[in-house]
Structures are given as C-alpha cells and as structure tokens.
Amino acid sequence: MIEQIQYTATPKYNFSQIINNIGLSRKFIELSLNSMNEIKERFFQPWIEFNGQSIERSGEQEDTVEVYSRDAFSIISPLEPIPDNTPIVAIDTSSIKVGETESGVICAVRGAVVWNERRQYRCLRIGPFPFHITEDNKREILRVLGQYSPIAYSSNASFLIEVQSRLCNALERWIQMMVSRSASNSIILWDGTLSCRPQNDCVSLLLRILEDARRNSNAVISLSKASTVKFLGRRITDLLMKQREPCLLEIDEHMLSISSKSLRLLGKIYVAKLSEKGYAFRVDVDRGLSRDVHMMALRRLMGNDSVFQGYPEALRLAHIFSTFTASDVIGIQRFISRKYGLKVVTWPSIRKALFGPFGTGGAGD
Amino acid sequence: MRLYKKTGNTIHIISFPDEDVEKGCYLIIDDKRAGRSMIVQVIDVQFANVPGIMEELLREPLIDDPVKGDDIDPFDITSHILYVQDARLLVCKVHGTIEDGGLCSDSSWLPSRTHSTICRLPIGRLMDIVNASIRYPISIGETMEGTPMVIDASILDGKLNIITGRKGVGKSHLSKILVLGLISYGATVVVFDLNGEYKNLGLNLDGERNEFYEKVHVLVPGENFKVTLAQTGLSVVMKILVHALNLPGTSAREFRHIWRFLEERNMLSLHEIGEAIRRWQCNQQVKDALFSRYYTLLHANFFTDNVNESVNFEGLLQNVERSGGGAIIIDLSNSSSVDRQIVVEYILAKLQDLLSQWKIRAVFLFAEEAHLYLRETYWDDIVTRMRHFGIFTTFITNQPDTIKESIYRQADNIFLFNFVNEHDLEVISRAAKVDAETTVSIVRDLPPHHCLILGDVVRNFPIVAKVKPLNVRAMGETRLFFSREKGLEAAQSSRP
Ligand SMILES: Nc1ncnc2c1ncn2[C@@H]1O[C@H](COP(=O)(O)OP(=O)(O)O)[C@@H](O)[C@H]1O
Ligand SMILES: [Mg+2]
C-alpha cells in the first residue's frame, strides 16, 4: 500500500487517481448508500442553515491551551521564507445537515485536497456523500467508521448531529492518511490542532498518519482558526499581531497549565505569524520531527504558498472547496428527493406535526 | 418550472436548464384544483437569485490561474448542484385566464404554487384557444416553435398598420409579403416606394416572371407616369400648389382665376398657363410667386399636355380592381422631395375622389418613410377620414418618432422589428399597444428578420415571428459603385 511516488514527472501528484484507487471511498460510499436506502419515509424536510456555517469540528474550542508562565517565551523573528518549490498539500472537510425525515437527519459530507506545485493550484473534491442518520442506524455507522472515528462512549453520541461530525472526521482522517502515504517531500496542511482529548481514543490513528507522513519525508502542519493559546485569559495570537515581521512563538509543554496538560499533544505548539500583514494562528507541527525541521517546514510553507492575511492559500482553498454553499445544499436536496422519490415538505406547521421531536439534532429550530 | 411570485400582472417563474423557454414564448400555468389556467408570456430571462451563488463565484482563488480541479463524486451530485446553479428566472406578463374552456382577461387570481403545473404553450395552440380561425391566410414565416405563422388578410381590412424597426432588419421585406398576400386575394394595393425596391415584385430571384407579374404595375413619375392638367383637376392642382409648393393665399386666388379663365376657353395646358401668368394683370410679387411654382411644376415633369403620354390613373385603379387585384408601385426613388410631394398629393386626392364616388371599393396603401412626403395635415386624415373612405394604410419606417403617438394609439397592428437605440425603444414603448416592459424587453433582443407582432392579427397576444424569405427580387438594379467600375473594366478589356 505504501508506495513511494515517482516525483520526476511534473506535475508530481495526481491525488484523484490515488484516492480513487483506494478502498475507503468504497466503504464510505457503501455506508452512504446503505444509510440512504433505509429511507422509507415519504416525507423529507429540506433544511438550510441560513448562517451558512457548516458544523465545526466538535470540541475544537475545548482544545484551546492555557500558558501559565511567561518565562520561556522566545520569539523567533524574523522568519525568513524558503522558496524551493516544495509542494504544499492542504486537506479540509466539511459536513452539513440538508434535511430531516421522520426518523432522523440527512447530512452531507465533503472533503477537498488542494495542492500547490510551483504555484499551480490543483484541487480534488471528494463527495458530497449523503447520509441518513437515524437512532436505529447510528451505532452501525459508528461501527463501520471504526478506526477512522474511534468511538468515545462517554461522548454524547446520542445526538445524531454528533454522528454527522464523526462522519466528517472519518473522511478527513482517511484523506489525511491517503495524502500522507502518497505524498513525499511535501508540506501537508491540516485544519485544526494535533491534540486529542484523553478520553477520546484517536491517538493511535493520528500517530499512524503522522508516522506515514514522516516516512515519506513530509511535514504535517496543522493550522487552527478556532483554537488559540491563552495567557492570563488573553489570546497570544492577538499579542503577536503587533509584531511587524513574520515571526514565531514557541510554546513549551512545561509552560502549559495543568488542564492543558491533560490533552494528548501530538504536535509541538507554536503561535505563528506567517506574513507581514496578517493574523497570527496557532500552529501545531508534528512532534515526531525535530525543532529544526519545524522551522524549515514553516519557512518553506511561507516560501512556496501564497500567504494571505497570515493564512496559507492552499488551506484556504481546501476549506472553500469543501464547505457547502446554499446552492450546494439545494442541489443535494434535489438529488435526494429525485433519487429516493421523497415528498418534500416545506411548511413548518406540517413539519412539526410530522416529525415531532426528532431531527433537529439538538441544533434547535 | 415553478411559480415563484406574482405582483400585479407580472409573474416570476423559476426554470431549470433543461427546460426550453425563451424570451417571447408563452407558458400556461395550469391550476387543476382551481380549474383555471393562466396564460403568460415570457418577456425576460434572467439569472435566478440562487442562494449561495455569490459564494460560488467568489470561490475563485486569489491567484490569477483558476484552480484546475477534479471531483470524486460517485453519486454525481455535482450535476444536481450545477442544475440548481443554472436555474433561470422568467419574468412573465399575464395575458389572460382560461376557465370553463373559455378565455377571459382576468389576471387577478393567484395560481397555487404547489399544485400548478407550468408548461410551454405553443403559439399554434394559443391561436386555437383564442379561436383564431383564419379565412384568408397570409403566411409570413414561422413562430418561435417553428410552426407556420399565418395571419388573416381580412383582419388587415379596414385597419391601420405600422411596421417599424431599425435599418436593414427586414421591414420592407415583411411589407412586400403583406402586399403580395393582399393582392393574391384580389385587393388593390398602392405602394409609395421610396427606394424603388418594390418594382420587381413580379419577378422571382433569378429574374423570371412569377405569378404576380401581371398584377404588379410600376409607375415612375416623370417617366411612365405623367398626367394632364385636365385629368388632375383644379382642386388637386390647388392642393399641390398650396401644400407641396407653399403658394401663399393671394397668389393661390389669382391662380384659380387663371385656371378658370383658360378652362372656359378650353385652353388648359401647361404652356397656356405660363403664357397667362406672363400676361396676367396682378402685382409683381404675385406674379413672381406664380412663376416660381409654375417652373417647379414644369420641372417635375409629372404633368404633360400630351394626352397620349399621360396615364389614366383612375382607369388603372379601376382596372386593377376589376381584374382581381394588383399592386400599383409608385417608384419615388428618383424624385426630388418636392416632386414626391406633388405625386403623393395627386395620388391621395385621386384615391379619395374615386373612393368617395364609389368608383373603387378600397385601397391598401403602403407608405415607406411617409414623413418624407406626407404633409402634416394628412396624417390624422389618413387614420380618420381616409380610413372611413376605404384607404387602409401601412406605415413603414425606421424612425419611429416620425409617427405621432396618436397614430400609434390608433394603429390596429404593429410589427416591431429590432431597435437598440434607447430613444427609439422609448418611443415605441410609449406608443405600442401593450405594456412598455414587454415591448422594450423583447424588441431589444430581436434578431434580424424577426418581429414582434402586436394587435388584432394576433388577437392582442404579442407574438414573435421569424419572417420567411421571399423568392422575389428586392431591388431593380442594385446600385453599386464598384460593380459599375467593374462593368467598365470588363468593357475596356473586351475591346479589341
Ligand atoms: N425574412 C427574411 N429572410 C431573408 N432575407 C430577408 C428577410 N428580411 C429581410 N431580408 C433581406 O435583408 C435585407 C434588408 O431587408 P429590408 O426589408 O430591406 O430591411 P429594412 O426595410 O428593414 O431596412 C434585404 O436584402 C432583404 O432581402
Ligand atoms: Mg426598407
């Protein structure tokens, strides 16, 4: 399975071929198909979340770390870019609820890989995959996801919406794994952090993906928009914005507060400001790599990807290509009602009468 | 298609990419539960305001190159997404309601959004619905659906029509189709042919005589069309002098005396009028005024003293009518502005005479760019008094503002070809018989040879038609500078 990619030819990557040749799609498609085939209801209530937000990875906010000591703050500045044509590969996924049935919710999941080779951006979209999640099939779904979304029995998987984010997570981990295995000498950008809550059995999978990446001389860098580093209740990301030049702040593990230490950190945490004008972000870099490699990876990222407002363009694109717009949602709804012959119900009053307590997934009306 | 919104008599409909609708076509909104259907016409096709489309467009990245992308999309959901994104908004106008099998103009009710079905209403069926049985068909081309577009010649009877549109879009062409259609049913047609382009109506494209050859009579003023003063009569001559040649009142009175004087002595001729003016006892100013008009008349070469050289216009008209119809083409292409007015005065006066004395029944008059020869006072006359006598006019012009708004309002049928100029569009929007929005929106996008027909011939359902080609020679000789040069060259090179 683990193949070295021949990188003499340009372009180097053809993720579409790689990913198509591999099994999870099949597993994922089957899961999607099976769940959808269970729709026996005649009614379907389309749903559009008008704030346009797809659900953020659950619990990312909780991954925010607190620094209790200021002693060892060392700012590395300026951070010099290294333009050496290192390929940048970014991965993101998103999910959205597209409707409700009498027995559950219908959601869709989509992933995107964007890679930048010599300033040429290419993109692969995976999905959308529709899923019908019900009280009856949610355990089966989680079981099939298996290693890609380790079940945390303590977490409130009773919410169907939680299953949706698990599906999204599983797709993301799977794409991350494929990319780690097939890319080489590249910088791989993830969205989010490289930490796990201890009660969550995700560590082994993550460790494996990072290991695969390292074996192919890749560096995994995870950028977090939502999570941050706090010192005395203030965001260090904000403090760094005042720096004129691109710079980096190292956060040593011993600086972290007790509560933060309870997280399993698989990455070394930095706060990075990657462009002169721009925001600072919390950046986690694979702990399995040395500090020098961390620096090199970040500088290569600056040198080979456009960084707009402090955020790498490849990752921005991956986010954009994976998230759902309203017209995507309508298109998916159309697909569902066509393919499964569902009767669309649009009036809220009818909906209440038909659906009772289900379907809102805890998200409220 | 789905009903989206209704305000007043405007209806918005959402249509998807695989649905075949275009500007100008008709739709029927059938509300089975209400037992009624609404007939609407699409007057504009816009992008639907699909939610999220803005984000979709903004997805283009910061870099100049667009991102090349692939999809792994096993369910082919992308095609559904694109389908939604390509949805169109049809802006429609309500044109009536069908209830209990009958048509009424009610547009106030609201068809149901959920159980109405919307589909295209072909023009052919629309005409069936309005019971447009056609007794004297004139085929003018095709509808948008490619079915024959036929109008009823009898509906042009007694009517006032306007054909307008910008240059070169096919106005005269349509006018020729109407002329030929009318004469094929035995009508008498008179054409004021400003560009000499009707004179070959009797020949087909390769120059052979066609079925109309015997029915097309071309009169070229000053050449084969001359009249004697006696044929003309004092009243017509006076009209010419006063209106075409602006002869002042006192001088006109003197002229009348001269005419009577000569007439009593049986000496009425151009030559004698000249002599009489010279000898006439009146002040010099009057004399000068009379002389200048006299020379203009002489110059026009329209009047003759030689009876054998003259055309008996009345007789010609009566002959045409008796022999089963025909067209009299007045070729004005070589006439000066004044000469044109003289000829037109003569013809209109003669027509009125003949009609009022019931010597002929009715005449269809086709007037190209009438503002170039029709005097101010005739316009209203034409749509009122002359129409009453039996002169049914069709005005053809590329300058819509040369026709007064009051004339547009009284027009029974208007054939609108393309206009792009905002001023022209505004003129026709104010003048036309339907709402301004319909007219402007459709006319702005009409391709050449297509026209929007308004009025009685289409039962007041504005209809877009593609005018058919005509196997008739357009011009006499096409006057081209370089082809003449070529001719010379050929002549020179063939010299020994
Ligand atoms: N429906 C038609 N099919 C084919 N040719 C046409 C049609 N209408 C017009 N034409 C041609 O286009 C040219 C311009 O048409 P014409 O009627 O003289 O335009 P207009 O009078 O509007 O200036 C002419 O050569 C005419 O033969
Ligand atoms: Mg013309």
Side-chain angles (χ1 to χ4, degrees):
Chain A
M1 193 65 266
I2 302 159
E3 284 170 73
Q4 275 300 128
I5 298 288
Q6 308 299 315
Y7 53 86
T8 41
T10 40
K12 190 168 168 178
Y13 295 131
N14 184 348
F15 287 111
S16 133
Q17 203 172 24
I18 293 162
I19 288 179
N20 248 337
N21 288 342
I22 298 175
L24 180 133
S25 322
R26 216 175 307 128
K27 209 157 133 192
F28 214 69
I29 294 165
E30 266 166 31
L31 190 57
S32 165
L33 270 175
N34 290 341
S35 78
M36 293 301 291
N37 281 334
E38 280 167 21
I39 299 182
K40 298 181 200 76
E41 285 81 3
R42 285 161 52 233
F43 297 105
F44 166 57
Q45 154 76 52
W47 180 279
I48 289 189
E49 302 199 17
F50 287 105
N51 55 19
Q53 285 294 309
S54 37
I55 294 148
E56 283 292 338
R57 209 158 281 90
S58 61
E60 202 187 329
Q61 288 291 351
E62 296 160 41
D63 288 349
T64 294
V65 292
E66 285 273 353
V67 174
Y68 68 89
S69 139
R70 192 174 185 163
D71 302 344
F73 273 11
S74 63
I75 292 184
I76 299 154
S77 174
L79 205 56
E80 291 287 346
I82 305 176
D84 63 352
N85 288 328
T86 302
I88 313 289
V89 187
I91 299 152
D92 200 4
T93 58
S94 91
S95 70
I96 196 160
K97 177 171 149 187
V98 296
E100 295 173 3
T101 64
E102 281 163 85
S103 59
V105 299
I106 297 179
C107 70
V109 182
R110 179 162 65 191
V113 181
V114 170
W115 61 105
N116 167 0
E117 289 182 79
R118 296 165 200 276
R119 308 249 157 204
Q120 275 271 10
Y121 289 86
R122 302 208 14 111
C123 152
L124 171 69
R125 288 218 258 196
I126 302 147
F129 301 99
F131 288 93
H132 183 213
I133 309 169
T134 65
E135 287 299 328
D136 295 336
N137 74 3
K138 70 182 186 192
R139 299 215 168 262
E140 173 63 10
I141 290 176
L142 293 177
R143 193 189 63 73
V144 174
L145 292 182
Q147 56 157 339
Y148 290 98
S149 182
I151 299 168
Y153 291 101
S154 60
S155 86
N156 50 1
S158 58
F159 279 128
L160 300 180
I161 212 80
E162 170 75 11
V163 180
Q164 172 185 330
S165 82
R166 292 301 189 79
L167 281 163
C168 184
N169 251 314
L171 179 66
E172 184 156 21
R173 289 286 179 245
W174 175 73
I175 297 172
Q176 287 169 351
M177 179 175 286
M178 291 309 126
V179 170
S180 292
R181 288 178 180 180
S182 54
S184 60
N185 299 298
S186 300
I187 289 170
I188 301 175
L189 301 178
W190 295 2
D191 182 35
T193 68
L194 293 180
S195 57
C196 282
R197 271 168 289 159
Q199 67 269 40
N200 211 331
D201 181 30
C202 67
V203 180
S204 60
L205 174 66
L206 240 133
L207 279 173
R208 236 174 67 209
I209 299 175
L210 292 173
E211 208 178 297
D212 286 342
R214 280 198 302 275
R215 190 175 307 132
N216 288 337
S217 310
N218 299 308
V220 173
I221 300 176
S222 196
L223 274 95
S224 172
K225 291 186 298 290
S227 167
T228 183
V229 182
K230 285 190 175 168
F231 173 66
L232 298 177
R234 292 187 64 187
R235 290 148 61 101
I236 295 184
T237 45
D238 293 346
L239 296 177
L240 222 59
M241 278 196 45
K242 300 202 175 71
Q243 296 282 324
R244 211 180 296 130
E245 283 168 307
C247 60
L248 194 64
L249 180 72
E250 273 186 88
I251 308 289
D252 275 333
E253 208 163 334
H254 68 258
M255 296 159 64
L256 299 179
S257 63
I258 314 278
S259 65
S260 303
K261 274 179 184 151
S262 69
L263 289 168
R264 266 303 294 271
L265 301 176
L266 302 183
K268 169 87 181 282
I269 301 175
Y270 296 89
V271 177
K273 182 166 150 28
L274 296 176
S275 62
E276 239 170 73
K277 291 185 190 110
Y279 301 99
F281 291 97
R282 170 178 165 186
V283 171
D284 294 17
V285 192
D286 178 10
R287 212 168 240 288
L289 299 168
S290 71
R291 182 177 175 277
D292 287 348
V293 178
H294 292 176
M295 298 299 145
M296 287 295 281
L298 287 166
R299 291 169 60 198
R300 284 200 167 112
L301 171 60
M302 289 165 66
N304 297 293
D305 200 12
S306 319
V307 178
F308 180 65
Q309 301 235 311
Y311 201 74
E313 179 67 4
L315 193 55
R316 189 184 77 93
L317 290 175
H319 178 71
I320 282 172
F321 283 117
S322 67
T323 46
F324 294 93
T325 64
S327 64
D328 288 335
V329 173
I330 299 168
I332 295 166
Q333 288 165 345
R334 186 183 133 83
F335 161 80
I336 291 168
S337 57
R338 284 279 158 122
K339 166 116 192 212
Y340 299 98
L342 299 184
K343 214 180 189 129
V344 173
V345 182
T346 39
W347 306 113
S349 53
I350 302 176
R351 185 178 143 250
K352 279 220 176 76
L354 283 176
F355 297 127
F358 282 119
T360 55
D365 265 287
Chain B
M1 281 176 276
R2 300 300 301 266
L3 188 60
Y4 171 49
K5 184 161 106 172
K6 178 173 187 292
T7 30
N9 72 336
T10 304
I11 284 208
H12 288 191
I13 289 171
I14 302 290
S15 144
F16 292 99
D18 55 349
E19 287 162 336
D20 173 33
V21 279
E22 51 199 315
K23 213 187 238 199
C25 78
Y26 278 84
L27 306 174
I28 186 157
I29 305 172
D30 187 12
D31 187 336
K32 287 227 162 56
R33 292 198 194 176
R36 293 196 275 194
S37 337
M38 194 173 258
I39 297 178
V40 302
Q41 182 177 33
V42 178
I43 64 158
D44 205 4
V45 180
Q46 303 174 350
F47 287 123
N49 188 10
V50 178
I53 205 78
M54 181 74 117
E55 287 109 299
E56 209 59 58
L57 296 173
L58 290 175
R59 277 183 167 177
E60 283 301 307
L62 294 168
I63 45 260
D64 296 336
D65 282 348
V67 176
K68 295 191 199 89
D70 286 318
D71 276 301
I72 295 180
D73 177 15
F75 298 98
D76 192 27
I77 294 180
T78 306
S79 67
H80 292 265
I81 293 171
L82 293 177
Y83 188 81
V84 167
Q85 286 175 355
D86 283 341
R88 294 166 296 168
L89 179 73
L90 311 178
V91 181
C92 308
K93 289 284 173 192
V94 183
H95 279 282
T97 291
I98 304 176
E99 194 167 10
D100 305 325
L103 186 73
C104 63
S105 62
D106 180 16
S107 66
S108 59
W109 64 288
L110 265 182
S112 153
R113 264 196 187 134
T114 39
H115 16 84
S116 294
T117 55
I118 304 177
C119 58
R120 187 161 174 164
L121 177 62
I123 302 301
R125 256 196 61 213
L126 174 64
M127 288 295 123
D128 287 346
I129 290 171
V130 297
N131 272 326
S133 63
I134 291 178
R135 275 181 301 161
Y136 302 97
I138 298 180
S139 161
I140 65 166
E142 290 179 353
T143 63
M144 302 181 84
E145 289 94 17
T147 55
M149 179 71 212
V150 180
I151 63 173
D152 192 341
S154 67
I155 298 186
L156 297 176
D157 202 2
K159 300 296 164 70
L160 173 71
N161 311 306
I162 296 173
I163 303 178
T164 185
R166 74 189 156 82
K167 249 201 178 87
V169 286
K171 300 180 298 296
S172 307
H173 184 95
L174 172 63
S175 148
K176 287 168 202 164
I177 290 176
L178 297 180
V179 168
L180 294 179
L182 286 167
I183 63 179
S184 72
Y185 292 115
T188 304
V189 178
V190 172
V191 180
F192 290 142
D193 181 8
L194 198 67
N195 300 310
E197 55 184 316
Y198 291 73
K199 60 185 167 207
N200 286 324
L201 282 182
L203 302 176
N204 61 24
L205 283 172
D206 46 28
E208 283 167 19
R209 297 176 175 192
N210 60 24
E211 66 203 280
F212 302 107
Y213 185 79
E214 300 294 338
K215 295 187 167 214
V216 176
H217 312 273
V218 181
L219 298 181
V220 185
E223 288 179 25
N224 72 346
F225 186 18
K226 295 186 186 188
V227 294
T228 64
L229 291 175
Q231 282 170 334
T232 312
L234 177 59
S235 74
V236 175
V237 172
M238 288 310 296
K239 278 183 185 164
I240 290 171
L241 290 174
V242 173
H243 299 302
L245 308 180
N246 298 314
L247 187 67
T250 37
S251 310
R253 258 196 313 279
E254 289 306 331
F255 185 84
R256 201 184 293 270
H257 291 145
I258 293 173
W259 182 284
R260 294 243 165 84
F261 175 85
L262 293 173
E263 207 174 29
E264 276 161 21
R265 286 157 186 77
N266 219 350
M267 288 167 62
L268 198 58
S269 75
L270 282 172
H271 175 76
E272 289 302 332
I273 288 179
E275 289 303 307
I277 295 171
R278 194 187 327 280
R279 290 191 310 263
W280 206 254
Q281 302 253 312
C282 58
N283 80 38
Q284 193 57 36
Q285 254 176 329
V286 169
K287 202 167 258 195
D288 288 349
L290 288 174
F291 261 128
S292 81
R293 273 46 172 211
Y294 172 69
Y295 286 119
T296 308
L297 286 183
L298 271 189
H299 225 91
N301 210 13
F302 180 56
F303 295 100
T304 176
D305 289 335
N306 179 355
V307 185
N308 296 327
E309 206 188 17
S310 73
V311 166
N312 177 359
F313 187 66
E314 302 184 11
L316 177 61
L317 270 168
Q318 284 171 306
N319 261 339
V320 165
E321 190 170 276
R322 251 180 259 128
S323 62
I328 300 174
I329 313 296
I330 315 295
D331 179 356
L332 299 171
S333 59
N334 286 317
S335 306
S336 72
S337 161
V338 171
D339 295 355
R340 282 196 299 250
Q341 288 179 57
I342 293 171
V343 174
V344 168
E345 284 287 350
Y346 175 83
I347 289 172
L348 289 179
K350 279 293 156 198
L351 287 177
Q352 288 180 80
D353 279 354
L354 292 170
L355 288 162
S356 61
Q357 294 163 36
W358 284 98
K359 288 187 179 163
I360 52 173
R361 271 190 305 170
V363 169
F364 292 89
L365 179 67
F366 284 72
E368 288 255 1
E369 305 299 350
H371 62 284
L372 294 179
Y373 47 79
L374 200 62
R375 70 173 146 95
E376 197 57 36
T377 48
Y378 264 144
W379 288 91
D380 289 318
D381 223 24
I382 274 187
V383 299
T384 54
R385 207 170 53 85
M386 290 197 202
R387 170 140 69 149
H388 185 71
F389 280 132
I391 300 181
F392 311 136
T393 309
T394 299
F395 291 114
I396 302 128
T397 182
N398 57 34
Q399 287 173 259
D401 56 356
T402 60
I403 298 177
K404 280 194 296 184
E405 225 175 293
S406 60
I407 311 264
Y408 278 105
R409 269 201 297 274
Q410 294 186 63
D412 300 288
N413 300 294
I414 304 183
F415 301 83
L416 290 172
F417 284 83
N418 175 252
F419 278 116
V420 282
N421 178 307
E422 293 299 329
H423 172 72
D424 292 338
L425 283 168
E426 205 209 303
V427 171
I428 57 155
S429 76
R430 266 190 283 124
K433 303 174 71 69
V434 283
D435 62 295
E437 232 181 313
T438 299
T439 331
V440 172
S441 175
I442 294 179
V443 164
R444 195 195 290 280
D445 282 345
L446 282 174
H449 308 171
H450 286 68
C451 67
L452 174 68
I453 310 177
L454 311 172
D456 296 348
V457 281
V458 287
R459 272 42 173 202
N460 291 310
F461 285 90
I463 286 176
V464 174
K466 178 178 193 296
V467 181
K468 68 179 182 186
L470 200 52
N471 184 19
V472 157
R473 280 203 144 181
M475 289 280 180
E477 326 97 62
T478 317
R479 285 208 203 171
L480 291 174
F481 176 73
F482 283 109
S483 72
R484 192 199 58 186
E485 297 284 292
K486 260 197 186 150
L488 279 177
E489 267 168 41
Q492 277 166 356
S493 62
S494 67
R495 243 180 246 156

